[in-house]
């Protein structure tokens, strides 16, 4: 009887493992297909290229993962990106040293995120509508601040964030990995991380357990704002100019990455590993379609179908587990 | 000696509805007080006030003779009160250990969890409540209802508080686990804890409680030492009248077989299950925690994909819930919160849900007809609700259970599967439900009664099947059934050799 | 009633109310256009009401309806889409409000005057230049604007129509970056990965060309590739001065705005105006970059 | 005691009523303010104007309400609008009589909706990602079908849908009211309507009650597709041309209308009355900002703030009830 129980446990563990890495399997399959379709794909230079391109969405998506794990959502990330990027460029243009501009940018990101969090937590407003309103407001603020024109950055030092490399690895990729590793660890091993899951799993129970639900929520949205501002820095640095249109629609990509990565939209289940892979899946898809010079008219269709197949396969694999 | 805890003239209203109308209540250190009353009497509400969930509309609370006001769950914990709520407050996708220590995790550096310490302590707590086969790293989602109940108890114990409130902790437990729990309660009270114990099973009260406090309809009825009253006295205090025969006389089953199950297997859950149920028969199903009773009920209703075997309902094969319903099977599940009721819909709608298809061929609803049905079942089951259009969420636990029952009873099924049907239901309503079951069998309806309450099985069933590790390890005609025999089979019986 | 208000208006322009229904305002091209109109209107003492349809022809229809609720004397329409704009023009016609279109034409209704650049021609100029600098042979990349807008479509068509006639030139990649600098950067990066030999890149606006330029510079292939943009926004002109960008096609939007107000004033003063006022789009290269004017000084 | 019970019942009903019409109170407040701010606002011609403008979003929002009530979401409505509109214009241009073109358009709308429903129900894919994929695919299909060009409609009869009036009431408004009334009734008085709530409230319990959850879901998404196609007809008729970019971003407006209208994003609670009012709130907002000649750069900010205030007030009113 002991023996049987052990066997069962091993089985369960294997399935859980499979469950966790389902999306990885799909990703690897995509990589394989892409390599077969274009010689230019599986080269070090192109892979670094893809990773660097993905970093912007991926970093935003990590923040989105936290928010979604609490059963929330943050539609404002794109506008926050635009506004914080514009401010960074604005203060640099005004003569502030760029490292300080970076800090200002991130501080504003945190602040805007915290505002989202306060409205959601204290105001008891559904996250969707609260962050939608903030999204609209922040976009308006960006337009007012930039007057609809890009702000060009002249300080060449700023180029490093988006264009620099360390030991041959582009800096945006390093930033992405750093943020990923830190948040992975935070989610697993800190009370804050576990409270995020608890709140998403059953907010009432979390409250009854004495968790300061509101504080955790504000912190989570603030982090999402912070990560959006970091993405803004990469984006702004890559273009060496702040764009009033920056980040438009990125919230959908980020949410898609989170869900493809297996995090549940209603909260409490998931994590950042899947999200990063989800973002990579979409990045690889864009890249291979461009490499193959698929007509733009057909790119959308191809992209949609691959996403659909990926999630359908995922859902079938999930069923297999049962 | 002073009181550990005292509540004076507590009143509570929701909107304009008076739920508590001036309750006096107290516990001393080392005392076990049983709080008794019918469904909806106000027991849980009174306890939630202590737990900081509700604020009283009026009244005073004293702890160690000092007046306190309780400002929320956390404060209540800090004051030394811990509670096991009637409805579970576990988070399905977190582990057992995390749930037990939620909000109070062991931390090395502040904010960073020490998993090892937490798992060690969890193991000890689980042992204390007699929960085997559950690891601290298991997800709550993978635990059965009974296991969850014991985990809730472990959680409450971990607070090491002065007052322990247990709101129907035994409702989902079988005899053995109940006994373990009652022993534990004794031990804790010997250590000086004050325990408030809510239950609808009076034999448990007699076993452990020192004193009873009775509520009826939000009114304080009285308090007596257990030594001074009989069970019948308690019932009279609760219900306001005598209840003589709990169980009605059995119906003799007819010859015709309604359900025939042959070699049913469900992967990792059920193995080679075979049995028959006849018209008008009540087949009882017994078994220890995790023996597969719930899985069996779900498999019969087409909710589990079967690996092999057949389920034949009056000659029809059953594979999906819809086929099951069409064939005349109704299932009352044991997890009312996640499978039984729709909390945001009204009592009215919940009652009608499975019936919609029948009352309306066109898809358009007929109000008069619906009103009649709802009125009938609210009255027959004595569902305590001031208005059928309020959300089920606001009902007391027992009354929610009645809604689940009512919803299926009115379907006139040919086979009724009842999984822990009287969980949390007061003694008065229980007799009503037993009477209804009797009437149904008289009409030729077959019933599968899954229960962890031994007296209920012995009192109602015509035949008892006992489960062990996903198999039927024995079948007993009621004449031969005794608690001892059932326990023998439940722990493996003569199939023991085969399974390991 | 209308006549009397017109009569008064002749003395001091400020009792005239003119609506400007803009296509979008988060693109520098259109912001410049609006600025040209606003600044001129202010100088002329005209009451200008501006709306922004955020690139949605349906919203533009609503904007026009809302403007017409306010007793306009004249409507300046900067259509999101020519075909859709026809309905808005018809609506204004029904209310007796004269309409001037700017930048894009409306394909129906009565328009007093249209002021714009010729997008087809812009594409053709770019193609001719490409042909010239490449000496008639080479690999060309086209980065397109939003497919589904007239400008995006016409510039692409002008460009392709011309190059189809040139045998030595192959368009090896053709991708849309939706007039967006960030998207152009990613798209160009991918194209650079896939194509080892690229001789020229044409982008349908300067926003995109700046993005493509970043990608090409990062890849260190600036010397191999001639880059051509469109619109002549300031950063693009600077890039030409620095020798990083080969050319752009000047379609200074500020003048569109200014011209539209001048025309409006003429219409309101009952003077006759040209039905079609096409401003000159000019090729800007190193040679003439310092002579080009994109704004009134 | 009988008396007391009756009193109680009245109380409960009053509270439920207040609860239901919270959003109406906010709407009326907005109307009042708007009337004070601009003389042009409260005129019959402008009010009809606003209602007509709102009709497109409102009709889409009714479909969105159904979907959200089942705890789903439909991001594809905008693309479905674009594609069905393009097909309608295409077949009219090809010589098909416009009433038949209308039927074809609606049939395709239903079909595309049903595809959403099938992927969500049978494929067990989260609605967000399933409909996101369909959104991308349908947009691509529209681009391929139109080759990026608008399709001009020459048949003047078609103008009636978006531009016609019956007894002085614009036809789009009549369509909107009709759809609203029908769906209001369906949700209240048919089993289908009640199943929608049951599924959103507790899908598992609904399944156990023998409801064909999958069928209901497919039907709901199909209706959302149908309503999107009806909106497409109005839109296409208003512009007398099908636009490849039609409906872009309308999903966010529709979801916002639903949530402002008090329907819960997690399903099971809400209804179409609130949604219509939610859509009107946003329409009035756009209108009054235009009438007051607020600079476009500031319009977004103003709009976001009003939405935020509306939902915050709503949430406070909801708390008052308790
Ligand atoms: N939030 C609420 N809103 C309105 N009424 C409520 C609310 N909570 C409880 N009630 C009502 O208060 C009464 C007492 O409920 P309570 O849960 O305390 O009963 P109980 O004695 O614990 O019953 P049971 O034995 O069934 O658990 C019930 O009639 C219930 O409907
Ligand atoms: N979702 C699940 N995943 C994994 N194991 C499960 C799941 N649900 C139940 N089990 C396990 O399957 C076994 C049979 O459970 P079942 O609920 O049928 O038991 P039961 O006899 O009804 O017991 P109980 O008295 O606890 O309700 C138990 O060991 C339980 O832990
Ligand atoms: Mg209770
Ligand atoms: Mg069970």
């Amino acid at each position: 009887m002991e023996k049987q129980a052990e066997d069962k446990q091993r089985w369960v563990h294997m399935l859980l493992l499979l469950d966790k890495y389902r999306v990885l399997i799909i990703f690897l399959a995509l990589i394989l297909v892409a390599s077969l379709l274009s010689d230019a794909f599986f080269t070090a230079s192109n892979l670094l290229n893809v990773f660097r391109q993905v970093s912007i969405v991926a970093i935003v998506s990590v923040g989105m993962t936290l928010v979604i794990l609490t059963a929330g959502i943050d539609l404002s990330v794109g506008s926050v990106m635009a506004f914080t990027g514009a401010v960074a460029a604005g203060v640099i243009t005004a003569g502030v040293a760029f490292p300080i501009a970076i800090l200002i940018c991130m501080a504003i990101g945190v602040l805007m995120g915290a505002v989202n969090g306060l409205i959601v937590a204290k105001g008891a407003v559904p996250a969707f509508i609260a962050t939608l309103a903030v999204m609209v407001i922040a976009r308006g603020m960006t337009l007012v601040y930039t007057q609809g024109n890009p702000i060009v950055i002249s300080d060449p030092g700023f180029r490093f964030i988006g264009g620099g490399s360390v030991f041959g690895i582009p800096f945006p990729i390093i930033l992405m990995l750093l943020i990923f590793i830190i948040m992975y660890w935070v989610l697993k091993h800190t009370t804050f991380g576990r409270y995020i899951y608890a709140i998403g799993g059953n907010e009432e129970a979390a409250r009854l357990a004495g968790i300061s639900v509101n504080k955790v929520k504000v912190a989570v949205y603030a982090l999402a704002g912070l990560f959006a501002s970091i993405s803004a820095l990469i984006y702004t640095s890559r273009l060496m100019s702040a764009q009033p249109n920056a980040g438009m629609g990125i919230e959908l990509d980020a949410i898609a990455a989170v869900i493809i990565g297996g995090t549940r939209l209603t909260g409490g289940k998931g994590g950042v590993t899947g999200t990063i892979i989800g973002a990579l899946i979409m990045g690889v898809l864009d890249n291979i379609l461009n490499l193959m010079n698929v007509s733009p008219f057909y790119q959308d269709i191809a992209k949609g179908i691959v996403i659909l197949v990926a999630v359908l396969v995922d859902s079938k694999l999930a069923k297999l587990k049962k | 000696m002073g009181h550990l805890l005292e509540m004076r003239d507590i009143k509570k209203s929701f909107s304009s509805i008076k739920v508590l109308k001036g309750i006096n209540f107290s516990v001393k250190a080392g005392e076990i007080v049983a709080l008794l009353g019918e469904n909806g009497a106000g027991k849980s509400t009174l306890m939630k006030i202590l737990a900081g969930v509700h604020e009283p509309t009026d009244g005073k609370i004293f702890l160690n003779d000092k007046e306190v006001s309780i400002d929320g769950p956390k404060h209540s914990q800090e004051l030394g009160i811990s509670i096991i709520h009637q409805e579970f407050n576990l988070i399905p996708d977190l582990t057992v250990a995390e749930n037990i220590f939620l909000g109070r995790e062991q931390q090395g550096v502040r904010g960073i969890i020490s998993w090892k310490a937490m798992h060690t302590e969890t193991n000890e707590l689980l042992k204390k409540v007699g929960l085997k086969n559950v690891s601290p790293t298991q997800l709550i989602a993978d635990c059965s209802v009974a296991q969850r109940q014991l985990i809730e108890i472990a959680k409450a114990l971990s607070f090491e508080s002065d007052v322990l409130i247990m709101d129907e902790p035994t409702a989902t437990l079988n005899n053995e686990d109940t006994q373990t729990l009652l022993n534990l309660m004794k031990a804790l009270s010997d250590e000086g804890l004050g325990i408030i114990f809510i239950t609808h099973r009076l034999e448990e009260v007699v076993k452990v409680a020192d004193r009873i406090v009775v509520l009826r309809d939000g009114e304080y009825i009285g308090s007596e030492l257990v030594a001074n009253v009989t069970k019948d006295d308690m019932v009279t205090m609760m219900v306001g009248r005598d209840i003589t025969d709990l169980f009605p006389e059995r119906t003799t089953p007819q010859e015709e077989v309604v359900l025939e199950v042959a070699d049913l297997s469900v992967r990792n859950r059920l193995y080679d299950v075979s049995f028959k149920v006849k018209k008008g028969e009540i087949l009882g199903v017994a078994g220890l925690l995790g023996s597969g009773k719930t899985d069996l009920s779900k498999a019969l209703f087409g909710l589990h994909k079967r690996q092999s075997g057949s389920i034949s309902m009056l000659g029809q094969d059953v594979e999906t819930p819809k086929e099951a319903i069409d064939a005349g099977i109704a299932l009352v599940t044991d997890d009312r919160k996640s499978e039984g009721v729709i909390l945001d819909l009204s009592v009215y709608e919940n009652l009608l849900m499975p019936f919609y298809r029948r009352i309306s061929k066109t898809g358009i609803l007929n109000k008069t007809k619906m009103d009649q049905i709802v009125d009938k079942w609210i009255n027959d089951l004595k569902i305590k609700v001031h208005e059928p259009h309020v959300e089920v969420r606001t009902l007391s636990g027992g009354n929610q259970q009645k809604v689940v029952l009512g919803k299926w009873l009115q379907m006139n099924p040919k086979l009724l599967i009842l999984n822990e049907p009287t969980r949390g239901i007061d003694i008065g309503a229980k007799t009503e439900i037993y009477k209804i079951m009797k009437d149904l069998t008289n009409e030729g309806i077959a019933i599968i009664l899954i229960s962890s309450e031994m007296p209920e099985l012995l009192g109602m069933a015509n035949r008892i099947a006992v489960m062990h590790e996903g198999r039927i390890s024995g079948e007993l005609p009621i004449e031969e059934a005794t608690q001892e025999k059932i326990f023998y089979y439940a722990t493996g019986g003569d199939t023991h050799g085969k399974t390991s | 009633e209308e006549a009397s208000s017109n009569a008064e208006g002749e003395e001091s322009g400020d009792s005239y109310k003119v609506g400007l229904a803009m296509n979008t305002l988060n693109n520098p091209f259109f912001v410049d256009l609006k600025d040209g109109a606003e600044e001129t209107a202010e100088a002329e003492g005209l009451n200008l009401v501006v709306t922004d349809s955020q690139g949605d022809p349906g919203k533009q229809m609503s904007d026009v309806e809302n403007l017409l609720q306010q007793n306009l004397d004249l409507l300046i329409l900067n259509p999101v889409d020519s075909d859709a704009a026809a309905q808005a023009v018809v609506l204004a016609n029904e209310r007796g409000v004269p309409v001037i279109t700017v930048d894009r034409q409306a394909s129906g209704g009565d328009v007093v005057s249209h002021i714009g650049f010729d997008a087809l021609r812009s594409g053709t100029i770019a193609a001719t230049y490409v042909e010239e600098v490449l000496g008639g042979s080479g690999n060309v990349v086209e980065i397109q604007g939003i497919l589904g807008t007239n400008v995006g479509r016409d510039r692409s068509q002008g460009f392709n129509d011309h190059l189809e006639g040139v045998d030595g030139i192959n368009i090896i990649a053709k991708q849309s970056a939706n007039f967006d600098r960030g998207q152009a950067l990613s798209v160009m990066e991918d194209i650079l990965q896939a194509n080892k030999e690229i001789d020229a890149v044409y982008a349908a606006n300067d926003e995109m060309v700046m993005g493509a330029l970043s990608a090409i510079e990062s890849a260190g292939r600036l010397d191999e590739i001639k880059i051509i943009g469109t619109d002549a926004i300031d950063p693009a002109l600077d890039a030409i001065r620095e020798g990083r960008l080969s050319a752009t096609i000047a379609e200074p939007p500020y003048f569109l705005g200014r011209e539209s107000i001048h025309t409006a004033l003429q219409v309101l003063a009952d003077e006759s105006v040209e039905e079609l006022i096409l401003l000159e789009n000019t090729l800007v290269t190193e040679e003439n970059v310092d002579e080009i004017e994109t704004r009134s000084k």
Side-chain angles (χ1 to χ4, degrees), chain B residues 44 86 167-168:
Chain B
S44 298
Q86 187 173 10
D167 195 348
E168 303 198 22

Side-chain angles (χ1 to χ4, degrees), chain B residues 361-499:
Chain B
K361 288 267 174 290
T362 55
I364 300 168
L365 302 172
N366 176 334
K367 192 159 178 313
T368 332
K369 223 172 178 179
M370 297 194 301
D371 287 349
Q372 283 170 0
I373 295 170
V374 171
D375 280 350
K376 172 175 158 45
W377 287 99
I378 286 184
N379 289 330
D380 284 9
L381 289 172
K382 302 203 167 52
I383 299 176
K384 187 168 179 288
V385 56
H386 47 90
E387 219 258 335
H389 285 285
V390 301
E391 291 173 12
V392 164
R393 186 185 293 286
T394 66
L395 261 58
S396 80
N399 282 303
Q400 289 183 11
Q401 183 66 27
K402 290 183 195 169
V403 172
V404 178
L405 271 175
K407 151 173 135 173
W408 289 111
L409 290 178
Q410 42 118 355
M411 282 291 286
N412 298 320
K414 300 195 183 80
L415 171 70
L416 188 58
I417 306 170
L418 302 173
N419 194 358
E420 312 288 356
T422 58
R423 173 184 162 193
I425 283 186
D426 70 53
I427 190 154
K430 250 185 200 171
T431 56
E432 300 298 326
I433 289 168
Y434 294 147
K435 254 185 233 147
I436 293 172
M437 283 167 70
K438 156 99 183 153
D439 292 346
L440 292 173
T441 49
N442 274 346
E443 289 165 29
I445 290 164
I447 294 177
I448 296 177
L449 173 63
I450 300 172
S451 177
S452 40
E453 221 174 301
M454 216 49 96
E456 182 170 284
L457 283 177
L458 292 171
M460 293 298 296
N462 298 98
R463 200 153 47 93
I464 295 177
V466 188
M467 294 194 70
H468 172 69
E469 294 192 343
R471 294 168 202 273
I472 292 190
S473 53
E475 228 185 82
L476 298 164
I478 196 63
E479 300 78 30
E480 296 171 22
T482 61
Q483 297 225 10
E484 291 69 33
K485 275 192 186 163
I486 292 176
F487 188 71
Y488 169 70
Y489 285 116
T491 48
D494 48 8
T495 65
H496 197 271
K498 286 184 231 160
T499 49

Side-chain angles (χ1 to χ4, degrees), chain A residues 1 4 185 188-191 194-195 197-198 201-202 205 207-211 264 268-269 320 322, chain B residues 53 73-74 77 85 89-91 93-94 98 102-105 107 111-113 115 267 469 499-500:
Chain A
M1 202 173 123
Q4 210 187 10
W185 183 82
K188 283 245 152 149
H189 296 290
T190 67
T191 50
R194 303 318 296 171
Y195 293 168
Y197 285 92
N202 186 340
R207 214 182 293 276
L208 286 180
I211 295 174
R264 192 169 55 183
K269 210 175 183 175
L320 269 188
K322 295 191 181 172
Chain B
V53 176
K74 187 124 202 179
Q77 284 170 17
H85 287 285
N89 281 295
L90 299 172
I91 298 169
D93 294 310
L94 294 189
E98 286 184 282
L102 190 63
R104 304 169 295 125
E105 294 79 1
Q107 304 165 19
I112 300 169
I113 299 171
W115 290 109
R267 193 162 74 201
E469 294 192 343
T499 49
S500 45

